[in-house]
Amino acid sequence: MKIRGLIYLFFILAFTANVSAQNTDEDAFFIKKIHDKALSDSKCYDWLYHMSENIGARLSGSDEYNIAADYTEAELRKLGVDKIWRQTTTVDYWDRGSGSSVRITDAMGHVLETKSLALGKSVGTPPGGITAEVIEVKSLDEVEQLGREKIEGKIVFYNRPLDPTHLNTFRAYGGAVDQRGNGASKASEYGALGVLVRSMTTRQDDVPHTGSLRYKEGVKPIPGIAISTNDANKLSTLLKDGEQPVMATMEADCNPAGERPSDNIIAEIKGSEFPDEIILVGGHLDSWDVGGGAHDDGAGCVHSMEVIHILKALNYQPKRTIRCVLFANEENGLAGGREYARISNENGEFHLAAIESDSGGFVPRGFTMDGTAAVLESYAKQINDWLPLLEPYGLWLKTGGSGADISPLKSQNGLLMGLRPDSQRYFDFHHTATDRIGAVNQRELELGAATMATMVFLIDKYGLKRP
Amino acid sequence: MKIRGLIYLFFILAFTANVSAQNTDEDAFFIKKIHDKALSDSKCYDWLYHMSENIGARLSGSDEYNIAADYTEAELRKLGVDKIWRQTTTVDYWDRGSGSSVRITDAMGHVLETKSLALGKSVGTPPGGITAEVIEVKSLDEVEQLGREKIEGKIVFYNRPLDPTHLNTFRAYGGAVDQRGNGASKASEYGALGVLVRSMTTRQDDVPHTGSLRYKEGVKPIPGIAISTNDANKLSTLLKDGEQPVMATMEADCNPAGERPSDNIIAEIKGSEFPDEIILVGGHLDSWDVGGGAHDDGAGCVHSMEVIHILKALNYQPKRTIRCVLFANEENGLAGGREYARISNENGEFHLAAIESDSGGFVPRGFTMDGTAAVLESYAKQINDWLPLLEPYGLWLKTGGSGADISPLKSQNGLLMGLRPDSQRYFDFHHTATDRIGAVNQRELELGAATMATMVFLIDKYGLKRP
């Protein structure tokens, strides 16, 4: 292939597209500076180390959450932002208590002590636990089909694995997580006493994964406990092997524990030309109550903080207002995201764009874009013109979701985006005791921050024409 | 705008012109089947587990190498290939002996015991080691500038870090590795007694990285030892702090240990229509003598073996001959790659394409293509027509290198390709005791194999028009 032909082609394309060649060179240069800064002199890894290892897991409403809120507020203040404030939300606290256990016994008297974690928001069991026969199902539909005759008085074991053939592991998760979210209430409707749920991961290992369940109103809440995939496989084998019933004793000391306050942390750099056009970067400061919440979602918090750090360090003067928001309570209620949007709407604010990072601190692969149909048609097209600036960093743009915390902002008719890191390892650590700093590669984390800063820079510099 | 972006755009246009929609659907379907198989029912992770954890490090000529050769040959045989054979090469063996130590002492009597590893192929020190003043340099040029007056009788400490701002860590490595490769001979030319080399990694940690040095003919060989980046930083600080000399005692028990035989392992499926057009997939079976050689290059071996497994499992009947080659001696001589090409040329073979995986078992990002100018113009253009089939898997195609083992095949005028996994984590583990199975994510490994199998399928199905 001839380079001359390519260049000729390029000029045709450049002409038809909206990108001016001169700006493109300048932009590419600044984007390189953003990346250089992130890879050589960033703070995000140290911040995440502190949050994950020194503060640790930080469920909304916990002491650790409040310590993390103080810490991130102080660190954001050091960056010299124009304004920093808090929004207090009210969250439904939940307490794991002294933990859980699931002991399986077959008719031969063999005992399997599983690795387990009670599901978030689950009610506890009575002391001494619940002992009952286990029945395995692959879906909520199967519970309905089996009906009360087969389900009543039993412990229902949801064991449909994540489909490993999805390239995007979030799809695999999305295809299985109804068991965790709604399995308890479905089983309770048919008289079950409790549910065991196969951990939501593509891995075969001994690590149990927690995460929220939701109780349906009017249905008796029964306890739900996750067991590791290795234990789920063993239990399933026991159930297949025997003619005799397999019994489980499940015990969990957890319980909902009343309302507590929990704060969103917000910092901003005021825009010089269009201060009323807000570009938000954010993640959620809360995590589940095990591990260190390193990937979920400490990474998203430090990504967002690092955007501020990089732009400040490069002495970038934004035309628009750049706002970093660390949301409370994504894991067990979304009170932070809802309250943020409520106040924003009340104040007549407009978020031109909001970018959430809540898919881990892995190597960035691109962004998904969300919004109303009119927004996607107008904004997304403009964003796509920047693709040649992103492609050298291996980044793509697709329509898709954005992030739970920013989703209530959709009605403002801005563009919502989600940073999409590579998803292969995310569910190795999601909602587990292993989601700690050792699971995070520093360069991958830094590149995520650089990718977000790049998008903020482009949106700030060029704006987005409203539909 | 970067040329890469241009090329990407160009290929999209080229695609609309050249690829028939019907084939594309069929091909996309088969490529999906390849990926499904890899992600749900592959053998590569188990193979790698065994090689890394049960067999372990396998320097060419070692017992472990021979065990790994037997193991992989047996596993390839189980796949039902048409032919399987060995090529015996002669390699210069090297023995680390009982290990190394580097002890730093400053004028105050403070002692720093470093984490060290002798460099591969290094001569040893006398028993009791070499004790001398340390002088830090940042480059081979600096040794020349300092001259014999400053260098003679000293231990030279090469301490230029990898440049973290390279997005591709192989570039960062390439910009620093001359210190490890040629630093000893350069220092010896000016009368140094030994060299310490900062480990070749972007990480700051306590893990020393080995790897080859090369002695220049006619220059006295002096010992070279790598120290961890944390220790390198500490040593550098000591050297900056004091007016007084900082002394090091470096001791290493290693030595070149004569010639030994070491075998390439080769398996093939004969092509039904064009058996003389060979499509090679390969990696190198040898590793350094520490860790488990999981990413370097166990991953490349099991990627290549998995290509055979997947195509067999999907009952794919290749038109061309698909050959899997596990090369000996990449790390310390390249005898395997050279001997393979020599015999291939002697037999008048033609490798239409050769694809090496020697950049780790991380998530695949694409392929680089190499060859003569005529080959690149003709073959690479055809390959690029397939980009729309690869893009859904997040893969790109670029010109660039291929792999050390297949590079001697360039004169056959086939297309050489390198699988390019994401590079961010590679130099965390490269040539270290930590390059073991725990550093490998199963899905990422499986996707690498699927990516190679995809490219083999496309080349086999469509062929490549010779320039």
Side-chain angles (χ1 to χ4, degrees), chain B residues 282-294:
Chain B
H284 62 85
L285 187 56
D286 66 308
S287 73
W288 275 109
D289 60 326
V290 292

Side-chain angles (χ1 to χ4, degrees), chain B residues 419-432:
Chain B
L419 177 72
R420 296 299 160 206
D422 197 88
S423 77
Q424 298 311 319
R425 288 176 283 147
Y426 188 71
F427 292 97
D428 295 2
F429 308 110
H430 185 239
H431 297 176
T432 70

Side-chain angles (χ1 to χ4, degrees), chain B residues 135-139 142 156-162 176 179 196-200 204 227-237 239-240:
Chain B
I135 182 165
E136 176 177 339
V137 297
K138 289 290 170 60
S139 67
E142 196 180 340
V156 173
F157 166 39
Y158 287 99
N159 192 34
R160 184 169 86 258
L162 274 66
Q179 301 172 95
L196 302 177
V197 181
R198 180 189 184 89
S199 281
M200 295 292 136
Q204 307 303 318
I227 60 174
S228 75
T229 50
N230 278 348
D231 286 328
N233 292 345
K234 286 180 200 161
L235 174 53
S236 186
T237 303
L239 287 161
K240 278 192 195 80

Side-chain angles (χ1 to χ4, degrees), chain A residues 108-415:
Chain A
M108 309 286 286
H110 298 138
V111 171
L112 169 65
E113 293 283 1
T114 66
K115 303 282 192 307
S116 71
L117 269 179
L119 294 179
K121 306 205 270 187
S122 175
V123 296
T125 64
I130 296 166
T131 299
E133 185 182 343
V134 179
I135 181 165
E136 176 177 340
V137 297
K138 290 291 169 61
S139 67
L140 278 65
D141 283 351
E142 196 181 340
V143 172
E144 286 186 9
Q145 284 152 18
L146 290 169
R148 181 166 283 272
E149 190 189 346
K150 294 282 177 61
I151 299 293
E152 189 162 31
K154 305 257 176 67
I155 291 174
V156 173
F157 167 40
Y158 287 99
N159 193 34
R160 182 169 86 259
L162 274 67
D163 178 352
T165 66
H166 285 292
L167 200 65
N168 179 344
T169 60
F170 285 85
R171 291 242 171 103
Y173 175 73
V177 73
D178 64 318
Q179 301 172 96
R180 188 194 77 202
N182 304 320
S185 281
K186 177 60 70 182
S188 178
E189 288 183 73
Y190 292 86
L193 304 181
V195 298
L196 303 178
V197 182
R198 180 188 184 88
S199 281
M200 294 292 137
T201 176
T202 49
R203 271 177 73 95
Q204 307 304 317
D205 64 17
D206 293 320
V207 180
H209 294 234
T210 187
S212 267
L213 55 66
R214 283 176 298 278
Y215 289 124
K216 196 169 160 184
E217 270 203 38
V219 176
K220 183 189 174 198
I222 59 172
I225 301 182
I227 60 174
S228 74
T229 50
N230 277 349
D231 285 329
N233 292 345
K234 286 179 200 161
L235 174 52
S236 185
T237 302
L238 283 179
L239 287 161
K240 277 190 196 82
D241 283 354
E243 299 285 299
Q244 301 296 316
V246 174
M247 306 296 288
T249 300
M250 58 186 286
E251 184 166 13
D253 190 31
C254 55
N255 264 306
E259 291 188 340
R260 292 200 184 180
S262 204
D263 292 356
N264 293 333
I265 302 295
I266 309 167
E268 72 177 24
I269 314 174
K270 206 77 182 170
S272 59
E273 285 184 45
F274 312 105
D276 295 341
E277 295 191 0
I278 299 165
I279 304 170
L280 180 154
V281 286
H284 63 85
L285 188 55
D286 67 308
S287 74
W288 275 110
D289 61 326
V290 292
H295 282 293
D296 186 14
D297 181 28
C301 294
V302 302
H303 277 157
S304 304
M305 294 163 70
E306 187 65 48
V307 169
I308 304 288
H309 174 235
I310 289 172
L311 295 180
K312 278 287 189 186
L314 296 180
N315 212 15
Y316 181 77
Q317 311 288 338
K319 298 179 187 175
R320 295 165 171 86
T321 293
I322 314 292
R323 189 181 283 179
C324 168
V325 185
L326 311 183
F327 294 94
N329 190 227
E330 193 271 350
E331 296 294 3
N332 54 335
L334 212 65
R338 290 210 185 92
E339 181 66 0
Y340 178 82
R342 191 190 64 74
I343 295 174
S344 178
N345 289 336
E346 200 171 84
N347 294 339
E349 287 182 348
F350 172 59
H351 286 74
L352 179 67
I355 311 174
E356 180 153 359
S357 164
D358 185 18
S359 303
F362 306 98
V363 71
R365 302 298 299 257
F367 293 96
T368 46
M369 299 181 278
D370 192 16
T372 60
V375 160
L376 280 180
E377 188 161 346
S378 170
Y379 289 2
K381 196 189 155 312
Q382 297 171 66
I383 296 266
N384 272 317
D385 285 345
W386 302 328
L387 199 55
L389 291 163
L390 305 177
E391 194 276 333
Y393 297 91
L395 301 170
W396 43 248
L397 295 166
K398 295 178 186 168
T399 53
S402 59
D405 300 291
I406 61 173
S407 57
L409 293 170
K410 195 162 175 174
S411 59
Q412 290 189 2
N413 278 324
L415 182 67

Side-chain angles (χ1 to χ4, degrees), chain B residues 159-317:
Chain B
N159 192 34
R160 184 169 86 258
L162 274 66
D163 178 353
T165 66
H166 286 292
L167 200 66
N168 180 343
T169 60
F170 284 84
R171 292 241 170 104
Y173 175 74
V177 73
D178 64 320
Q179 301 172 95
R180 188 194 78 203
N182 304 319
S185 282
K186 178 59 73 182
S188 178
E189 287 185 72
Y190 292 86
L193 305 181
V195 299
L196 302 177
V197 181
R198 180 189 184 89
S199 281
M200 295 292 136
T201 176
T202 50
R203 272 178 73 96
Q204 307 303 318
D205 65 17
D206 293 320
V207 180
H209 294 234
T210 189
S212 268
L213 54 67
R214 283 177 297 278
Y215 290 124
K216 197 169 158 184
E217 271 202 37
V219 175
K220 184 188 173 196
I222 60 173
I225 301 183
I227 60 174
S228 75
T229 50
N230 278 348
D231 286 328
N233 292 345
K234 286 180 200 161
L235 174 53
S236 186
T237 303
L238 283 178
L239 287 161
K240 278 192 195 80
D241 284 354
E243 301 285 302
Q244 301 296 316
V246 174
M247 306 296 288
T249 298
M250 58 186 286
E251 186 168 10
D253 190 31
C254 55
N255 263 305
E259 293 188 338
R260 291 200 185 181
S262 204
D263 292 355
N264 293 333
I265 302 295
I266 309 167
E268 72 176 25
I269 313 174
K270 207 76 181 170
S272 58
E273 286 183 45
F274 312 104
D276 294 341
E277 295 192 359
I278 298 165
I279 303 171
L280 180 155
V281 288
H284 62 85
L285 187 56
D286 66 308
S287 73
W288 275 109
D289 60 326
V290 292
H295 282 294
D296 187 14
D297 183 26
C301 294
V302 301
H303 277 158
S304 305
M305 293 163 70
E306 187 65 47
V307 169
I308 303 288
H309 176 234
I310 290 171
L311 296 180
K312 277 286 190 186
L314 296 180
N315 211 15
Y316 182 76
Q317 312 288 337

Side-chain angles (χ1 to χ4, degrees), chain B residues 197 229 294 342 350 386 417 442:
Chain B
V197 181
T229 50
R342 190 190 65 74
F350 171 59
W386 302 327
M417 305 183 88
Q442 182 170 346

Side-chain angles (χ1 to χ4, degrees), chain A residues 1-3 6-7 9-11 13-14 19 21 24-25 28 32 35-37 39-40 45 163-169 202-204 363-365 387-389 391-396 398 422-425 428 440-444 447, chain B residues 1-11 13 32 35-37 39-40 45 163-169 202-204 363-365 376-378 380-381 384 391-396 398 422-425 428 440-444 447:
Chain A
M1 150 185 15
K2 297 284 194 322
I3 289 293
L6 269 176
I7 289 170
L9 194 67
F10 164 65
F11 285 123
L13 284 169
V19 180
T24 301
D25 283 350
K32 175 78 168 77
H35 281 76
D36 288 355
K37 186 75 190 167
L39 287 168
S40 63
Y45 187 79
D163 178 352
T165 66
H166 285 292
L167 200 65
N168 179 344
T169 60
T202 49
R203 271 177 73 95
Q204 307 304 317
V363 71
R365 302 298 299 257
L387 199 55
L389 291 163
E391 194 276 333
Y393 297 91
L395 301 170
W396 43 248
K398 295 178 186 168
D422 196 89
S423 77
Q424 298 312 319
R425 288 176 283 148
D428 294 2
V440 179
N441 174 276
Q442 182 169 346
R443 287 177 60 88
E444 294 188 342
L447 286 171
Chain B
M1 147 111 47
K2 289 283 191 332
I3 288 294
R4 261 205 305 254
L6 272 177
I7 289 172
Y8 180 72
L9 279 170
F10 172 72
F11 293 140
L13 286 172
K32 174 78 167 76
H35 281 76
D36 288 355
K37 187 76 190 167
L39 287 168
S40 63
Y45 187 79
D163 178 353
T165 66
H166 286 292
L167 200 66
N168 180 343
T169 60
T202 50
R203 272 178 73 96
Q204 307 303 318
V363 71
R365 303 297 299 257
L376 280 180
E377 187 161 347
S378 170
K381 194 187 157 317
N384 275 315
E391 195 278 333
Y393 298 91
L395 301 170
W396 43 248
K398 295 177 189 172
D422 197 88
S423 77
Q424 298 311 319
R425 288 176 283 147
D428 295 2
V440 178
N441 174 274
Q442 182 170 346
R443 286 177 60 87
E444 294 187 344
L447 286 171

